[in-house]
Amino acid sequence: MKEVRERLAEALKKAVDRLPAELREGFSGQVAVVPSAKKEFGDFTSNLALKLARKNHPASEVAGFLKQALLEEHLDFLDRVEEKSGFLNFFLKKQTRAELIRTILTSPETFGSCSLGAGKKVLLEFVSANPTGPLTIAHGRQAAFGEALARILTFAGYQVTREYYHNDAGRQIRLLGQSLKARYEQLHGKDTPVPEDGYHGHYLIDLARKIKSVPEDQPDFFEKFAVEEISRSIREDLARFGVTFDSYISEQTFHQQGEVQATLRDLEKAGCLYQAEGATWFRSTSFGDDKDRVLVKGDGSLTYLAPDIAYHRYKIVRGYDLIIDILGPDHHGYVPRLKAAVAALGFPQEKIHIIIVQLTTLFRGQEKLRMSTRAGEFISLRQLMDEVGPDAAKFFFIFRRAESHLDFDLKLAKKQSLENPVYYLQYAHVRLLHLQQFAAQQGFSQQECLQADLSLLQEKEEEALIKQLGDFPGVIERISQTLEVHQLAEYLLALARFFHSWYQHHRVVNQQRALTLARLALVQALQVVFSRAMQLLNISVPDRM
RNA sequence: GCGCCUGUAGCUCAGCUGGAUAGAGCAAUGGGCUUCGAACCCAGAGGCCGCGCGUUCAAAUCGCGCCAGGCGCGCCA
C-alpha cells in the first residue's frame, strides 16, 4: 500500500496543473506534505499555497483553488481538507488512521522501508582509525553514527558497503615501531627513550610485555607486531560495539599495486598537476580549495594526501552512486581538498557527502575530563563501554546531531533513573513485552488481534499514538536524504512518551473483549515499530529490568 | 590572520530544508499507585532563539557584519 502522504503529494502536484497559468509560474516541482504540528491542523499539512502565492493572489485564494482541484481527485482516505491561514490541512478518515495498524501487523518486516535507494550502491567509509593506538570516544561516536546510518540506508533500499580504510603505511607506522621497540628495550633493562614525536601511551608498554623474543632477520618486526596487535584489538572493540565492516582497505596495498602512481597519471592527464619549487602540486584551487596542495615532496616522497586521493579514486572506479565519508572534526580542513580531488577525477561533487562528526566532551557530573591523545591520556572506547555499557554509549552518541559538540556525562549514562533516556526506552519496551505476556495468559491470541475492530480506538492518546506510528516511514525517508541519524532517536523517544501516556490513562486488557483486542493490536504494532527503530539504531534492550 | 562547527528555558538539546501561538527531557513546584511494572503519568511555571542590518507575504531557519565558545590551519600523518 502506498503511503497516504505520498498519495497526497501526488494529488497536489496534479492539482497544480489545473491552476491558472500565472499561479503555476513559480512552481518548483516540490510539494511538501508534512505531519501536522497540532491536532487542530489535522493529520498532514502542506504549505504549497503559501509558496505559490503572489502579490495580487494571496495564499488563501490559491489554497481555495487547490482545495477545489483536490476534491476532484476523489481521494478515498480523506475525510476533509481545511484551509487555514494559507495552509492546507488534511484530515484522514478515522478508518484510514486505524487501518494503519493492520498494515503494520500484516507487513512487520517492511513497514517503514522504501524504494528510495533501490538499485543504488553506497560506499560508506567510517572510523578508519590509524592502527597506532586504541579507539577513542571520538571514534566511538563515528562508529555509532556510521553503523546506524548504514542500517537506515539499507532499510531505505540502498545497497550499502561499510568500509574501513586502514592507514598502515608511512611515517606514523615507523614511529609506532620505534616507540614499541623503546618500550621493549626498557622492559629489558635499557633506558632507550620513546621518540619525542612517538607514541607515549601506556598501551605500548602492555604490548611490549607480550613480546617473547625478537627475530633477528626481521628489521620491521616491531612495526608489524604493533600494527597487527592494535588492529586486532580495534576490531574486537568494534565488534563488541556492534559495528562490523564489509571491507577493509589497506593503504600499503595501494602503494604496492601502484595505485598512487596511476592516480597521479590520471590527474596529470586531466591537467591538474604542475611542478613548482621542486615538488608536484595538485591544482585544487580550480575546484574550490583555498590553496593548491603538494602531492610529491621535493625529496620524491608522497604527502599524506596522495594515497588518500588514490583511495578515493578506487571508490569511484568501483561504480558507487553515492560516496559517504564520516570524518572527525580534526579533518574538517581536509574536506575541500578531498572534494577537489574527487571532482578532478570526474566524479560529480553532489554525490559525495563528507560528514564531520563533532567532538565529544566527557564529563563526570560537573567535572570536565581533559584529554590528550599525544600524551596518551584519554578515555578509550573500551573504557567507555566498560563503564556505561555499549548500548547506553551508542544511544548518547546517536541522539544528537552530528554537528553538535556533544557533552557526554558518564554519571548520567550510568544512572538508572528518569534522567537517563536509555532507561525510559527500556522501560517502554519492557512494558510492551509484559502487556503481551499478560494478554496471552488471559487467553488473547495474536491471531485474534489481526481481526480486531480498530475503529474502537477513539481515545485522544490512541489517535496521537497512531499518528506517531504513521510518521515512521517519513522519518526513514527523511534520514536517507538528510543523513541525520539523530532524528530516529528523537522519533523513538516521542513514540515511547506517547505510549507511556496512553498506558497510564487506559487499560489495555479490560472488561470489553473487542476493545481489548483493538488495543492489543495497537500494542503489537508498537512493538513492531519500536523493535525496528531500536534495531536500526543498533541498540539492544533487555526483556526485564 | 584564515577556515569549519556551535550559540534556542536554570542544564542538556529538538525544531522535518523559510511557515500557524518556538518544543521536549532533566532540575525546581504541586498532584496521581487496591487493577496490565509508579524506572511511569498529569498540571502550572520557566524564552530580546548571542547582537545588529538586510532579503521575503512570512526568518530561530537564508545573506552580510559583529560578539562569544570549540576545533583545525605544514613539502606532518
Side-chain angles (χ1 to χ4, degrees):
Chain A
M1 180 187 117
K2 217 170 212 177
E3 291 306 327
V4 167
R5 209 164 53 90
E6 227 173 299
R7 291 175 62 184
L8 271 173
E10 279 168 18
L12 274 174
K13 267 185 200 172
K14 278 192 200 162
V16 171
D17 290 339
R18 296 199 204 146
L19 287 177
E22 53 176 333
L23 287 176
R24 283 201 310 260
E25 270 172 33
F27 184 52
S28 64
Q30 292 290 320
V31 174
V33 177
V34 300
S36 304
K38 287 184 182 176
K39 206 185 148 191
E40 57 187 288
F41 300 148
D43 295 281
F44 294 101
T45 294
S46 179
N47 63 356
L48 184 60
L50 286 151
K51 294 273 185 214
L52 295 176
R54 289 287 169 279
K55 281 256 152 57
N56 35 7
H57 297 285
S60 56
E61 182 194 330
V62 183
F65 276 123
L66 285 173
K67 185 177 163 181
Q68 216 40 53
L70 206 59
L71 289 180
E72 287 164 31
E73 295 284 325
H74 301 292
L75 298 169
D76 53 355
F77 55 84
L78 217 50
D79 180 46
R80 64 184 193 281
V81 182
E82 284 182 6
E83 185 272 321
K84 208 170 187 180
S85 47
F87 290 94
L88 283 170
N89 293 326
F90 306 101
F91 292 77
L92 302 183
K93 283 182 181 155
K94 276 202 167 147
Q95 201 186 342
T96 306
R97 264 182 240 163
E99 281 309 313
L100 173 79
I101 294 174
R102 219 180 305 278
T103 307
I104 297 173
L105 296 186
T106 51
S107 53
E109 293 305 316
T110 54
F111 178 71
S113 66
C114 56
S115 54
L116 213 67
K120 290 185 189 150
K121 287 167 66 187
V122 184
L123 183 76
L124 178 63
E125 183 211 341
F126 63 117
V127 184
S128 295
N130 296 349
T132 52
L135 292 174
T136 62
I137 52 162
H139 297 127
R141 188 173 178 190
Q142 291 163 43
F145 181 91
E147 179 63 32
L149 183 59
R151 289 171 182 229
I152 293 167
L153 288 178
T154 303
F155 195 51
Y158 287 93
Q159 189 187 325
V160 181
T161 305
R162 300 162 175 80
E163 192 159 276
Y164 188 117
Y165 180 58
H166 205 60
N167 233 292
D168 54 357
R171 200 177 83 99
Q172 49 163 358
I173 298 299
R174 285 198 301 279
L175 274 170
L176 178 71
Q178 286 164 19
S179 304
L180 179 63
K181 189 176 181 204
R183 291 303 195 190
Y184 178 77
E185 291 179 354
Q186 284 169 14
L187 287 177
H188 293 80
K190 296 188 195 169
D191 53 353
T192 318
V194 173
E196 188 136 343
D197 45 359
Y199 296 87
H200 295 258
H202 197 268
Y203 58 91
L204 283 186
I205 303 177
D206 297 336
L207 212 51
R209 287 211 178 90
K210 287 189 173 176
I211 300 173
K212 305 220 165 56
S213 66
V214 181
E216 304 223 342
D217 53 342
Q218 276 186 42
D220 58 352
F221 168 78
F222 285 102
E223 287 178 22
K224 279 198 162 156
F225 186 83
V227 168
E228 261 172 44
E229 286 292 318
I230 293 173
S231 301
R232 196 171 50 79
S233 89
I234 284 177
R235 284 184 210 204
E236 277 171 16
D237 286 351
L238 286 171
R240 181 176 165 206
F241 205 49
V243 176
T244 51
F245 288 86
D246 306 302
S247 143
Y248 286 83
I249 299 292
S250 149
E251 182 186 344
Q252 237 176 47
T253 312
F254 274 109
H255 291 294
Q256 286 160 5
Q257 297 179 344
E259 288 285 330
V260 181
Q261 292 310 318
T263 304
L264 288 173
R265 278 199 301 276
D266 278 5
L267 288 173
E268 175 81 67
K269 248 185 273 171
C272 300
L273 295 187
Y274 64 93
Q275 305 290 325
E277 301 162 55
T280 305
W281 295 70
F282 167 42
R283 203 184 304 279
S284 57
T285 45
S286 311
F287 304 93
D289 199 2
D290 58 344
K291 55 181 166 184
D292 292 339
R293 309 289 168 177
V294 171
L295 296 185
V296 185
K297 299 184 222 169
D299 65 1
S301 63
L302 298 167
T303 61
Y304 178 76
L305 183 60
D308 234 21
I309 295 179
Y311 173 39
H312 278 81
R313 177 174 169 275
Y314 182 53
K315 287 183 182 180
I316 295 169
V317 301
R318 279 181 285 167
Y320 286 97
D321 300 286
L322 207 59
I323 294 175
I324 303 175
D325 291 5
I326 298 175
L327 303 175
D330 50 335
H331 282 79
H332 68 233
Y334 208 65
V335 174
R337 68 192 83 163
L338 219 46
K339 284 198 163 175
V342 166
L345 292 169
F347 190 73
Q349 281 210 45
E350 68 273 10
K351 287 187 173 183
I352 176 162
H353 295 276
I354 302 184
I355 300 173
I356 300 288
V357 176
Q358 284 297 332
L359 218 70
T360 301
T361 313
L362 278 185
F363 285 83
R364 206 183 291 280
Q366 293 294 311
E367 182 203 352
K368 183 175 177 176
L369 304 181
R370 269 269 151 228
M371 285 183 283
S372 155
T373 318
R374 189 186 51 217
E377 293 164 9
F378 55 87
I379 295 196
S380 64
L381 177 61
R382 183 175 293 187
Q383 286 169 295
L384 183 69
M385 286 193 280
D386 287 344
E387 187 158 346
V388 308
D391 289 310
K394 276 182 270 192
F395 187 81
F396 275 78
F397 280 141
I398 278 168
F399 93 132
R400 297 306 181 200
R401 276 156 51 237
E403 312 92 75
S404 79
H405 302 241
L406 187 69
D407 284 354
F408 192 127
D409 185 351
L410 293 166
K411 229 175 179 176
L412 175 61
K414 271 192 299 186
K415 228 179 203 173
Q416 308 207 352
S417 79
L418 28 152
E419 290 168 67
N420 189 343
V422 178
Y423 284 87
Y424 191 79
L425 290 179
Q426 294 187 348
Y427 189 46
H429 181 246
V430 168
R431 270 187 158 174
L432 284 172
L433 290 181
H434 277 252
L435 269 173
Q436 290 175 310
Q437 281 168 16
F438 183 79
Q441 281 166 18
Q442 302 296 311
F444 296 96
S445 76
Q446 300 211 336
Q447 275 309 312
E448 284 178 287
C449 294
L450 278 176
Q451 314 300 327
D453 175 8
L454 299 167
S455 67
L456 295 171
L457 301 173
Q458 303 265 354
E459 303 289 349
K460 68 175 197 296
E461 289 85 0
E462 283 159 354
E463 276 182 28
L465 209 39
I466 293 169
K467 182 169 179 295
Q468 181 72 5
L469 284 174
D471 288 348
F472 183 60
V475 171
I476 297 299
E477 200 177 296
R478 202 163 69 243
I479 295 174
S480 3
Q481 283 158 349
T482 61
L483 312 182
E484 292 177 350
V485 169
H486 73 280
Q487 293 192 10
L488 187 54
E490 291 280 341
Y491 171 83
L492 193 57
L493 277 173
L495 187 65
R497 202 151 44 236
F498 285 126
F499 167 60
H500 281 311
S501 177
W502 173 59
Y503 180 94
Q504 196 75 27
H505 286 95
H506 308 287
R507 267 191 76 81
V508 173
V509 180
N510 55 62
Q511 302 304 316
Q512 303 166 52
R513 189 167 179 88
L515 181 60
T516 300
L517 285 172
R519 287 184 173 165
L520 283 173
L522 176 54
V523 166
Q524 248 177 278
L526 276 167
Q527 166 79 0
V528 168
V529 174
F530 200 89
S531 312
R532 173 67 59 195
M534 295 297 276
Q535 180 248 327
L536 291 175
L537 291 179
N538 194 21
I539 294 168
S540 62
V541 289
D543 293 349
R544 66 184 63 185
M545 302 170 68

